Amino acid sequence: VAQLWGFVVLTLADAVVLPFDHRETAAQLAAHTDAMRARAAEQACPLDFGPLHDSVAAFTAAAVALHSHIANAATLTDDQIRHINDRLY
């Protein structure tokens, strides 16, 4: 276990931008929202999932935009990288 944590610490310390990929989180949120919507429909439960769907869509768009910034990390200034890392932390 100590070797694993050591590897994680070294990976994070050496990363220019923290290696978080929120696109998978967004995909899971969308899948769970769809599952809840289907379950509510099966139960004839009149819930409005519109606001939740809109929030997940906004999160997904932000995750995709962030990933594109991270992919271009080599072209970013130190201040831009610091700003991204501050927001990720």
Side-chain angles (χ1 to χ4, degrees), residues 6-15 19:
F7 175 75
V8 169
V9 168
L10 288 175
T11 300
L12 291 175
D14 288 340

Side-chain angles (χ1 to χ4, degrees), residues 34-47 49:
D34 291 342
M36 285 189 298
R37 183 182 309 195
R39 179 105 188 237
E42 289 172 3
Q43 303 281 329
C45 185
L47 294 175
F49 286 92

Side-chain angles (χ1 to χ4, degrees), residues 17 66 69-70 76 80-88:
V17 177
L66 176 62
H69 283 300
I70 291 171
L76 299 175
Q80 290 170 322
I81 291 171
R82 188 175 307 109
H83 179 71
I84 289 171
N85 283 331
D86 288 346
R87 292 178 65 192
L88 285 172

Side-chain angles (χ1 to χ4, degrees), residues 29-83:
L29 286 171
H32 288 293
T33 300
D34 291 342
M36 285 189 298
R37 183 182 309 195
R39 179 105 188 237
E42 289 172 3
Q43 303 281 329
C45 185
L47 294 175
D48 180 12
F49 286 92
L52 179 59
H53 181 271
D54 293 346
S55 295
V56 171
F59 182 83
T60 301
V64 169
L66 176 62
H67 186 73
S68 71
H69 283 300
I70 291 171
N72 297 322
T75 64
L76 299 175
T77 66
D78 289 341
D79 286 338
Q80 290 170 322
I81 291 171
R82 188 175 307 109
H83 179 71

